Amino acid sequence: MLYPCKFILFLPILLIIIISQNRVVQARTTLTNSNNYKKLQRPFNNSVSAIFVFGDSTVDPGNNNYISTLAKCNFPPYGQDFVNHIPTGRFSNGLLVTDYLASYVGIKDFVPPYLDPSLSLDELMTGVSFASGSSGFDPLTAQLLDVITMEKQMEYFKEYKRRIENSIGKEKTKLLISKAAFIISAGTNDFAVNYFNTPFRRQKYHKVSEYQQFLLQMVQQFIKDLMNEGARVIGVGGVPPFGCLPVVITIDSGNNALQPRRCIESYSAVAREYNLLLQHLLKTMEIPGTKVFYVDIYNPINDMIHTPIKYGFTEVTIGCCGSGLIEASLLCNPKSIVCDAPSNHMFWDSVHPTQATYYNLFQAIRPSIDFAIKQIRNIS
């Protein structure tokens, strides 16, 4: 179990390191199409109009570039395996699972951030991500690092709708949204950062089960809001075994951060419990004409951790950037040492997966994607 005092003592160290780093030159970058990576075989003619994404750093392609927060990564070595080695603001060395998804269904090669002011109408109409690194369903989670709350992400989506309506009209916008796939990926920060490692929520929710119910209420409201805005097919990702995040292992290990490094089972047990409750909630939320489905993240990630050879991984408890023990965001920067073969690592930094992990995860959830495509094809 991670104890709050460990994290409280750890925060000043992080802040000192962050403040002492030389300022990283941040350049605004624009996503460009490229044929530099293999196209994914698609099982159907494209019937998906757009992809809209909400959540945290697992699906944030660079929205945090455009807000005032420390939770940024639009600088090397982030993005070193992205097209043209561009640090786009994705919290990884390359593509995210949503990028693979967009290419697979034939919409676009990458899902861009909504806040990028250079996006064309065509880019907007085929979908964007509203996600923000370090966010969560709990508004307090996003406030800890001044990132975009889920409520604000919803406001941005409503703003998006108005922009599109002004360009193509309300009826065409309504059809576009009804034929779109909606993806939600959040929750890890709520537990691993907020509840377990700050005192604020534990003062109100003394049991983790109480906090789980609070989060589920937030999830339920967010999905209802999406339905009210015209969403018809919504996929909601569960949380991974966050007891296996390198930084979680490091903090819990104290002075023994290097040996042995094992997942913190008490944390992962909370993740499993939450996922079961989430699945039950989603089953109760379907109404005629809509499909809300659960996307299993936990089991594919857990399998990669416990059978790494099957996926070509040689390291699953330490990140590729820096020491791999605590680095993330500004702590993983141009001065950081980077491992020689990121594709052999499950984690890019101490929190976020590598492109290789995201690709393996995409392959694991393809049945869910195919299911969503079929649902959209059936929408009249």
Side-chain angles (χ1 to χ4, degrees):
M1 174 67 70
L2 292 181
Y3 295 100
C5 61
K6 290 185 180 179
F7 189 76
I8 293 171
L9 291 172
F10 188 60
L11 271 177
I13 299 174
L14 282 180
L15 291 174
I16 291 171
I17 298 174
I18 291 172
I19 294 171
S20 67
Q21 298 293 341
N22 290 338
R23 293 183 61 187
V24 178
V25 177
Q26 298 178 358
R28 176 177 152 196
T29 60
T30 302
L31 297 181
T32 57
N33 292 331
S34 173
N35 295 319
N36 289 351
Y37 71 96
K38 185 178 180 180
K39 298 292 182 180
L40 299 166
Q41 184 178 359
R42 296 155 189 149
F44 310 104
N45 291 328
N46 179 27
S47 57
V48 183
S49 62
I51 293 178
F52 298 110
V53 186
F54 305 84
D56 57 23
S57 58
T58 56
V59 288
D60 177 7
N63 282 307
N64 281 12
N65 299 353
Y66 304 98
I67 63 175
S68 179
T69 178
L70 289 176
K72 293 179 184 285
C73 60
N74 55 340
F75 43 81
Y78 287 96
Q80 72 170 33
D81 296 308
F82 195 79
V83 175
N84 298 324
H85 314 293
I86 298 174
T88 61
R90 287 166 171 79
F91 288 79
S92 186
N93 60 310
L95 300 175
L96 305 179
V97 69
T98 41
D99 296 316
Y100 286 116
L101 189 159
S103 177
Y104 178 66
V105 301
I107 294 178
K108 56 175 76 180
D109 288 339
F110 319 111
V111 180
Y114 173 67
L115 294 184
D116 183 348
S118 71
L119 295 182
S120 66
L121 177 61
D122 286 343
E123 280 278 25
L124 287 169
M125 286 180 60
T126 50
V128 291
S129 174
F130 302 90
S132 178
S134 296
S135 192
F137 290 113
D138 184 345
L140 178 60
T141 302
Q143 293 167 14
L144 293 174
L145 280 173
D146 292 324
V147 298
I148 307 168
T149 64
M150 296 297 286
E151 180 181 7
K152 184 64 176 179
Q153 290 180 38
M154 181 62 67
E155 290 179 15
Y156 279 138
F157 178 64
K158 293 177 181 178
E159 176 187 87
Y160 165 90
K161 277 185 62 180
R162 292 192 295 269
R163 292 174 64 183
I164 300 302
E165 287 174 351
N166 290 336
S167 297
I168 66 174
K170 288 188 176 182
E171 287 304 313
K172 289 183 179 179
T173 300
K174 181 179 179 181
L175 179 62
L176 183 152
I177 290 173
S178 71
K179 292 280 189 177
F182 287 76
I183 306 296
I184 306 171
S185 176
T188 298
N189 295 320
D190 293 314
F191 290 106
V193 176
N194 187 351
Y195 185 79
F196 286 118
N197 287 303
T198 71
F200 311 115
R201 285 307 189 202
R202 283 180 289 104
Q203 291 173 354
K204 182 175 182 179
Y205 304 103
H206 301 293
K207 297 179 180 179
V208 69
S209 59
E210 296 173 345
Y211 187 65
Q212 288 172 331
Q213 290 300 322
F214 165 70
L215 290 183
L216 291 169
Q217 291 173 8
M218 303 301 292
V219 173
Q220 184 178 39
Q221 186 59 56
F222 192 85
I223 294 173
K224 285 182 177 179
D225 290 344
L226 282 180
M227 289 179 174
N228 290 336
E229 295 301 320
R232 305 282 290 278
V233 177
I234 305 171
V236 184
V239 294
F242 44 74
C244 298
L245 297 178
V247 69
V248 171
I249 298 173
T250 298
I251 297 173
D252 188 78
S253 301
N255 295 328
N256 300 311
L258 291 176
Q259 295 293 338
R261 289 185 64 81
R262 299 189 183 94
C263 296
I264 311 305
E265 172 56 23
S266 58
Y267 268 41
S268 296
V270 170
R272 291 194 298 273
E273 292 167 2
Y274 171 80
N275 287 338
L276 288 174
L277 293 169
L278 176 62
Q279 290 175 67
H280 175 73
L281 170 66
L282 299 182
K283 289 178 181 178
T284 69
M285 293 200 66
E286 288 189 17
I287 59 177
T290 68
K291 190 66 180 179
V292 182
F293 61 98
Y294 174 77
V295 181
D296 181 16
I297 303 299
Y298 186 100
N299 286 310
I301 295 293
N302 196 54
D303 193 50
M304 291 181 223
I305 291 168
H306 291 98
T307 58
I309 295 177
K310 183 166 68 174
Y311 301 93
F313 293 133
T314 57
E315 179 54 69
V316 297
T317 64
I318 295 176
C320 175
C321 185
S323 69
L325 303 177
I326 62 169
E327 291 86 351
S329 189
L330 295 180
L331 297 183
C332 174
N333 57 65
K335 292 190 175 183
S336 300
I337 298 173
V338 178
C339 68
D340 293 332
S343 61
N344 293 340
H345 280 63
M346 187 169 175
F347 292 96
W348 168 245
D349 57 24
S350 68
V351 177
H352 305 101
T354 57
Q355 175 177 269
T357 301
Y358 280 128
Y359 178 76
N360 289 325
L361 180 58
F362 161 77
Q363 293 291 359
I365 66 174
R366 273 179 59 178
S368 295
I369 299 169
D370 295 346
F371 173 80
I373 295 173
K374 289 179 180 178
Q375 297 302 309
I376 291 172
R377 283 172 63 90
N378 293 332
I379 293 175
S380 58

